[in-house]
Amino acid sequence: MVPGAAAAPLLAQAGCGARFAASLARCKSLTAAGRSGGSLGPESRPRQQTNKKSHIRQKPQKQICKPVLEYFDERYGQELGELWNKVREVLLLPSSWQYAVLVNKFSQCVTFEQYLQSQGYSNFLPDVLPFARRSLRCYIGNIQCRLPRLRHHAERLKQYYLLNAASLLPVLALDVQDGECVLDMCAAPGGKSVAIMQYATPGHLHCNEYDSLRYKRLKQALESFVPEELRNIISVTDQDGRYIGPQQPQMYDKILVDSPCSNDRSWLFCSDDLLATMRITQRPNLPVLQRQLLRSALEALRPGGTVVYSTCTLSQAENDDVVASVLNSYDNIQAVDLTGLARSLADYFTFAEGVQHGQLVVPERGKPWGPMYSSKLWKLH
């Protein structure tokens, strides 16, 4: 019997991820066949051509963008030294990437979590979170396979959200408390906003996204994971984040600035070399925007409040340099030490050394999570 197949009927009866069970069983079957050293049968082997009977086309393999790789080799080879070789190995092999399963506490699906545990998944957060915040549950496993993403249904909530586990680091650093007024300034596609609602119940959660298409994805994500009776504490806007601070000074207790960035994983597989070259040329402009967003967030922050600035890039210019520039121009902003948080996650994430104003999760074999940079800033007065 295919591993996991026996649990599929149980999940189907409970309405908790039968499609997930079937896909996971197939992933395990393929993984087991590869590890056994035997060849995969014709029904399991990826096909390069269209099946004329079924009209199903195999998804093409991602192709590495050479201009971006050459640029990264030069830039990150200097910034990360020998660590870049380990990071490079994971980034260039999408088959080694993994997805964590953030469970939706509002769906009340115990059977689904039991199924995850039976398949070797484990919640990595209990030793990190205070007891009162353990409603945030995220499962990771050893299956190197992309799990199915659930479709949006207006009449029912999704059971889980797939994400890079390191993307929870900014949410953990933000440490939202019940009743606080919170801003997620660059919120799409919505994973961190969803995680904030799993972590605590803010008095008000303002989710903002300037890009019109991503704004629609954000709204749909919140509708898919938050019950209707709690949506009245959430507002969703499409403002330019650079102007939120001047328009709403000292309005928020906690602010997350998950800033637009280079996004190294996607850049490496850009299908258009000309577009990739243009992006490389324009890359120095990103820190300008990032500093503007961070300054706006600090203006919107109440005295005593905290901002978490985060990106999904390895770039020092977009990470520590942005934070350093902002710190140098304020006398009432102080960086918060995240060493303790990093230490509690060391069994699951690899953190780069030499980062001055935050923590940088870097992917390596066995710990494929990241890149994810997080810096926490405290407004003294």
Side-chain angles (χ1 to χ4, degrees):
M1 179 180 291
V2 175
L10 177 62
L11 289 175
Q13 293 172 9
C16 297
R19 178 164 158 251
F20 169 83
S23 176
L24 184 56
R26 183 174 181 276
C27 287
K28 285 199 165 192
S29 178
L30 294 177
T31 303
R35 287 176 178 171
S36 68
S39 61
L40 299 176
E43 69 281 358
S44 300
R45 190 179 300 118
R47 298 186 178 185
Q48 302 300 322
Q49 297 179 346
T50 302
N51 184 320
K52 293 183 180 180
K53 292 183 179 180
S54 64
H55 301 287
I56 297 176
R57 185 181 297 275
Q58 180 72 24
K59 188 175 181 179
Q61 294 293 316
K62 291 184 177 182
Q63 297 297 315
I64 297 168
C65 183
K66 291 183 178 179
V68 174
L69 179 58
E70 291 172 358
Y71 174 78
F72 282 1
D73 279 339
E74 179 182 356
R75 179 58 58 90
Y76 294 152
Q78 294 177 358
E79 293 184 6
L80 298 177
E82 294 181 359
L83 180 59
W84 168 238
N85 292 327
K86 296 180 180 180
V87 175
R88 187 183 194 272
E89 179 184 7
V90 175
L91 293 182
L92 295 183
L93 192 63
S95 62
S96 71
W97 299 1
Q98 295 179 27
Y99 292 84
V101 185
L102 178 66
V103 175
N104 186 7
K105 71 178 182 181
F106 301 117
S107 68
Q108 298 294 328
C109 194
V110 176
T111 309
F112 176 64
E113 291 194 66
Q114 292 174 341
Y115 176 73
L116 286 176
Q117 293 166 3
S118 74
Q119 300 304 310
Y121 278 78
S122 60
N123 178 12
F124 75 96
L125 292 173
D127 294 335
V128 179
L129 296 174
F131 184 81
R133 301 297 170 214
R134 290 186 184 176
S135 57
L136 180 66
R137 304 189 301 280
C138 189
Y139 287 80
I140 57 177
N142 296 319
I143 300 174
Q144 296 175 346
C145 175
R146 182 161 186 168
L147 305 177
R149 296 188 182 275
L150 300 177
R151 293 182 179 179
H152 172 71
H153 293 282
E155 68 277 7
R156 66 176 182 268
L157 298 176
K158 292 182 180 180
Q159 286 83 41
Y160 62 88
Y161 190 103
L162 297 180
L163 75 174
N164 187 314
S167 66
L168 290 181
L169 183 63
V171 176
L172 297 175
L174 194 63
D175 190 26
V176 172
Q177 303 297 305
D178 293 346
E180 289 184 325
C181 189
V182 182
L183 168 64
D184 189 351
M185 182 176 280
C186 311
K192 294 180 180 64
S193 293
V194 167
I196 288 171
M197 289 298 297
Q198 304 295 317
Y199 187 90
T201 305
H204 176 222
L205 175 60
H206 177 186
C207 304
N208 182 72
E209 176 54 50
Y210 186 48
D211 182 271
S212 58
L213 293 178
R214 289 169 59 84
Y215 168 78
K216 293 178 181 178
R217 290 182 62 192
L218 170 63
K219 288 192 68 176
Q220 190 175 85
L222 292 168
E223 290 170 1
S224 293
F225 286 91
V226 180
E228 191 170 355
E229 60 269 22
L230 283 178
R231 293 177 198 165
N232 63 331
I233 67 172
I234 301 174
S235 61
V236 186
T237 62
D238 57 355
Q239 300 172 254
D240 186 331
R242 293 173 294 181
Y243 302 114
I244 290 179
Q247 293 170 356
Q248 302 178 48
Q250 300 188 12
M251 284 289 294
Y252 299 96
D253 301 298
K254 302 280 175 69
I255 300 177
L256 174 61
V257 185
D258 189 40
S259 179
C261 68
S262 297
N263 193 342
D264 297 342
R265 286 188 185 241
S266 66
W267 271 37
L268 267 174
F269 296 94
C270 180
S271 59
D272 187 331
D273 284 5
L274 186 61
L275 176 61
T277 302
M278 182 177 69
R279 283 180 174 177
I280 292 171
T281 303
Q282 296 175 342
R283 198 183 197 201
N285 296 330
L286 274 170
V288 176
L289 171 63
Q290 291 159 344
R291 286 192 294 269
Q292 291 172 337
L293 290 169
L294 183 51
R295 291 177 187 277
S296 175
L298 291 171
E299 190 169 347
L301 188 67
R302 291 170 179 163
T306 52
V307 166
V308 170
Y309 171 80
S310 63
T311 75
C312 54
T313 179
L314 299 164
S315 170
Q316 180 177 322
E318 298 179 47
N319 295 338
D320 250 15
D321 288 356
V322 168
V323 175
S325 174
V326 171
L327 285 173
N328 287 336
S329 58
Y330 288 86
D331 61 4
N332 65 330
I333 304 298
Q334 179 177 309
V336 177
D337 187 3
L338 295 178
T339 303
L341 179 59
R343 189 181 299 116
S344 68
L345 291 165
D347 288 341
Y348 309 99
F349 301 153
T350 297
F351 292 90
E353 296 181 356
V355 181
Q356 293 186 350
H357 302 298
Q359 295 290 338
L360 174 62
V361 179
V362 295
E364 66 172 358
R365 182 180 292 185
K367 298 179 181 178
W369 315 111
M372 178 57 60
Y373 173 82
S374 298
S375 177
K376 184 172 184 176
L377 304 179
W378 176 33
K379 190 173 189 177
L380 302 179
H381 53 79

